[in-house]
Amino acid sequence: MNGTVRISPGQLTALTLLGGSSALAASSSHGELLFGLFWVVLAASLLGAAASRLGVPAVVGQVLAGIVIGPSLLNLVQPGDFFLTLAELGAIFLLFMVGLETRFKDLLAVGKEALLVAVLGIAFPLALGFGFGLWQDQSNVSALFVGTALVATSVGITAKVLQEIGVLDARFAQVILGAAVIDDILGLTLLAVVASLGAGQGLTGTQVAVTLGLSVGFVALVLAVGIPLIRRFQSRLQSISVARAFNVAIVVGLGVAALSSVAGLAPIIGAFLAGMVLAEVKDQVEFESKVHAIEAFLAPVFFVVVGLQLDVAALGSVQVLIAGSVLTVLAVIGKVLGGVLGARSMGGRDALLVGLGMVPRGEVGLIVASLGLGAGIIGKTEYAQVILMVLLTTLLAPLVLRALLRGQPRAAAPAT
């Protein structure tokens, strides 16, 4: 044998057909994804614009767009891995952009209020949710998990509303953003503790302290090292092209977001911190408008996917509607009370705005609920109640926030 492989005409035809059918299947799959993305972008644009014209935050229209085109109604798009990944990127770029509009010194100025709002905004909802679970005759662990779901805060939704109105530089907005970072650190630590209890795993105080220490240490390290470092390289960044400065900004944003995930924090917190670091040089180095262009495309995808994941059919039970509505009231009371008491030194109106800004649960609440259901800690009924709470707080809080802020002077949006 000379090592040559002979293929008959029949075998060649069969191989060609197999290869062709494989390519055809891949092409069909790509086509479905592209059509799905088309529906997502189209629905976000139309309903987001319609909401804005009605004086409603665009994010509300975008979440509703996800419900309309998702499995709950038209079933045009499924929330698969592709869209979940794209949504996470949208959240990352949204918080990166919010970070770029936030100076670290401004957060330092509201540090005391932000800490109080975060701690009280965890303590009150946790206690109310736990009591609600016990009232429903749930187990201690299940009731504790419901309380943990009430602790969650989706800063992305509030941040987008504040960005739309142009008040991100207002003191109350800085308190919300600072409290959200602290809330994420404490909330994720609490989630790890409750999930371990639900799985029957022992968890020592030392392990909790280590988890908390790693999270706090990461935030402190990024800011303590990143800000002096970026200032040191400021002159070099000023001498490079806009395209290269933009590439540097993207690398920093995605890199810190990835490291944040490794440290046990949500990637959006890393993106927010990276934005704050780069905010120190944004006035001297041009890249903000290009980052805004990417965020303007991806952020609406994030809000549509939040809507895609909401199963409206699961909310049809009268029991779920009543219990879920009660849970929603408790969820609002817990966060508003935490905001009003934690930021009371700022005055009644601003303290109320802070509390309302912490109310939306959004994708964070969905993640917590899904983890609880998947681990068997909560049942389908409790899951549906939490989903209703997430839906109502996500849709209603931005509306109330916008109504209270009507008439506020609007800052100019970044040019695209």
Side-chain angles (χ1 to χ4, degrees), residues 34-415:
L34 287 173
F35 263 114
L37 185 57
F38 164 77
W39 288 120
V40 166
V41 174
L42 178 64
S45 300
L46 292 178
L47 291 186
S52 295
R53 288 194 175 189
L54 293 172
V56 174
V59 297
V60 174
Q62 290 158 2
V63 172
L64 288 175
I67 295 174
V68 171
I69 66 173
S72 294
L73 293 177
L74 298 181
N75 199 26
L76 296 172
V77 183
Q78 296 291 326
D81 291 342
F82 171 76
F83 288 108
L84 292 175
T85 302
L86 205 59
E88 185 169 5
L89 274 175
I92 286 171
F93 273 95
L94 170 59
L95 269 295
F96 185 39
M97 192 69 207
V98 170
L100 279 174
E101 298 179 35
T102 308
R103 304 276 187 181
F104 178 56
K105 62 180 182 181
D106 295 331
L107 284 188
L108 280 180
V110 297
K112 178 184 175 183
E113 289 89 351
L115 179 61
L116 281 172
V117 169
V119 172
L120 294 177
I122 286 177
F124 288 134
L126 180 63
L128 291 171
F130 182 69
F132 174 82
L134 293 181
W135 175 67
Q136 285 199 314
D137 294 324
Q138 297 177 27
S139 68
N140 286 339
V141 175
S142 177
L144 192 58
F145 205 91
V146 172
T148 304
L150 263 62
V151 163
T153 294
S154 175
V155 67
I157 290 174
T158 297
K160 188 61 179 177
V161 174
L162 298 175
Q163 186 187 58
E164 286 179 358
I165 301 171
V167 294
L168 273 174
D169 58 345
R171 183 175 173 81
F172 75 86
Q174 298 298 318
V175 172
I176 292 172
L177 295 175
V181 173
I182 301 169
D183 187 283
D184 188 78
I185 294 171
L186 299 178
L188 288 175
T189 303
L190 177 63
L191 179 59
V193 172
V194 176
S196 296
L197 291 174
Q201 301 172 355
L203 197 67
T204 66
T206 303
Q207 289 172 308
V208 174
V210 168
T211 302
L212 183 60
L214 285 173
S215 301
V216 173
F218 175 78
V219 174
L221 184 65
V222 169
L223 296 175
V225 174
I227 291 176
L229 198 62
I230 201 70
R231 286 175 177 167
R232 182 177 179 181
F233 285 96
Q234 179 178 326
S235 58
R236 294 189 184 182
L237 290 172
Q238 285 178 274
S239 64
I240 64 178
S241 66
V242 173
R244 288 186 64 189
F246 167 71
N247 289 338
V248 170
I250 295 299
V251 168
V252 171
L254 292 178
V256 179
L259 289 174
S260 177
S261 182
V262 172
L265 284 170
I268 57 175
I269 297 301
F272 175 72
L273 294 173
M276 275 208 300
V277 168
L278 290 169
E280 299 295 321
V281 298
K282 69 172 185 176
D283 293 335
Q284 292 77 34
V285 184
E286 171 53 39
F287 55 78
E288 186 179 7
S289 61
K290 291 185 178 296
V291 174
H292 177 68
I294 296 180
E295 179 258 346
F297 167 67
L298 287 176
V301 175
F302 159 65
F303 294 113
V304 171
V305 173
V306 169
L308 287 177
Q309 296 178 86
L310 295 175
D311 184 5
V312 177
L315 310 177
S317 162
V318 174
Q319 177 189 352
V320 168
L321 289 174
I322 294 174
S325 298
V326 173
L327 190 62
T328 301
V329 172
L330 296 177
V332 172
I333 290 174
K335 287 295 184 182
V336 171
L337 196 57
V340 169
L341 293 179
R344 63 184 181 278
S345 62
M346 298 170 57
R349 182 176 180 276
D350 279 3
L352 179 60
L353 288 172
V354 169
L356 287 170
M358 302 295 288
V359 165
R361 268 52 175 196
E363 81 293 345
V364 183
L366 292 175
I367 291 169
V368 174
S370 299
L371 286 174
L373 182 65
I377 300 174
I378 58 175
K380 290 185 177 180
T381 300
E382 293 77 22
Y383 174 76
Q385 293 168 5
V386 172
I387 290 299
L388 179 59
M389 179 273 296
V390 170
L391 174 62
L392 291 177
T393 58
T394 299
L395 295 179
L396 297 179
L399 293 175
V400 178
L401 200 59
R402 168 62 72 88
L404 288 175
L405 287 170
R406 189 170 290 133
Q408 284 278 144
R410 180 186 176 90

Side-chain angles (χ1 to χ4, degrees), residues 10-26:
Q11 289 173 317
L12 182 61
T13 302
L15 287 172
T16 302
L17 287 173
L18 284 172
S21 95
S22 217
L24 192 60

